[in-house]
Amino acid sequence: DVMELWSLLDLVSQSAAGDESNFKAGYKRPIEDGQKAKSRQFQIARAKDAQQKLIDLHSKWMLGRSKSIIRDQLPAKTESIAACPMGKLQQRVYVRFLESADPAALRKGKHACACGSGVERWECCVFDGEPGPIWRAQHPGQDHPSREDGCSKCPYCMSMPVITAALKIANHVDLVRAVPSEEQTSPGEYAKTLALA
């Protein structure tokens, strides 16, 4: 928006861009009039003139530096990779999570179903017991996976949420810790985090 540019110019140039009403009359309105579909030639010409004056004013007061201008002055980019082992609590939480129902269902999806049907688990029962909190968050209102309920991708519909939860635990346990103060501000997220924790 041209008026945002006026705000910046007014701030850095101590009113060299004029007051708001003069700026609107000299730049904003002519530019807008020249951009309309039914603009006349004189309006288009006036808009181009106003745009050029605005570019000149902008160039006078605002210095834009691209990286290419100062590339030779920048230090060489260095990348350091620091391996940080998980703490004992973090390891316990991570292992507990990986052994829980949702990640286990993903790992065992291609195994023969435990019910003895002879088909792969993902086509039959999906879970050994009750589904976990990630499955429940993905399928609100359902008690157990069922092909009749419309999710033909179970358990693979949980892939990204399971990966995200594992990454959060690997980064820091507090990322999956339910904070009581969040119960008021975002009850849905609090409930999901509480179920996962």
Side-chain angles (χ1 to χ4, degrees):
D1 186 325
V2 178
M3 293 313 294
E4 287 178 26
L5 182 58
W6 172 79
S7 307
L8 290 170
L9 285 169
D10 189 57
L11 177 71
V12 299
S13 68
Q14 299 173 346
S15 300
D19 66 9
E20 188 176 357
S21 60
N22 289 340
F23 191 84
K24 282 181 181 177
Y27 297 102
K28 185 177 190 262
R29 284 193 204 103
I31 291 171
E32 287 176 350
D33 290 344
Q35 292 174 339
K36 292 178 182 172
K38 295 182 179 179
S39 297
R40 297 188 175 147
Q41 283 301 98
F42 80 91
Q43 290 173 313
I44 294 170
R46 194 167 34 174
K48 286 182 181 178
D49 184 47
Q51 284 174 334
Q52 188 57 52
K53 286 180 183 174
L54 190 58
I55 289 168
D56 294 342
L57 185 64
H58 178 271
S59 300
K60 180 179 177 183
W61 289 101
M62 294 189 179
L63 177 62
R65 286 193 174 166
S66 65
K67 197 174 182 178
S68 61
I69 295 172
I70 58 169
R71 182 175 288 132
D72 58 327
Q73 300 169 22
L74 296 172
K77 183 177 179 180
T78 57
E79 190 172 315
S80 300
I81 298 172
C84 300
M86 287 187 198
K88 292 184 187 300
L89 172 66
Q90 195 175 14
Q91 286 175 357
R92 286 197 312 269
V93 171
Y94 192 77
V95 168
R96 180 177 160 228
F97 172 72
L98 291 180
E99 291 173 350
S100 68
D102 296 324
L106 281 171
R107 279 195 316 276
K108 298 175 183 177
K110 293 281 186 182
H111 296 182
C113 190
C115 73
S117 65
V119 297
E120 291 178 346
R121 185 182 297 258
W122 75 274
E123 294 181 285
C124 193
C125 297
V126 182
F127 290 95
D128 287 332
E130 290 297 310
I134 293 176
W135 184 88
R136 292 186 191 288
Q138 294 288 103
H139 305 84
Q142 294 182 23
D143 292 329
H144 211 275
S146 156
R147 296 288 170 242
E148 296 80 41
D149 290 336
C151 185
S152 61
K153 294 179 174 57
C154 275
Y156 303 108
C157 60
M158 299 183 296
S159 297
M160 287 308 293
V162 165
I163 291 169
T164 301
L167 283 171
K168 284 181 177 181
I169 295 167
N171 285 325
H172 201 288
V173 175
D174 281 346
L175 294 173
V176 293
R177 185 171 290 166
V179 180
S181 62
E182 292 176 355
E183 186 174 11
Q184 302 301 321
T185 56
S186 53
E189 285 302 310
Y190 175 78
K192 285 181 189 177
T193 306
L194 188 61
L196 183 62

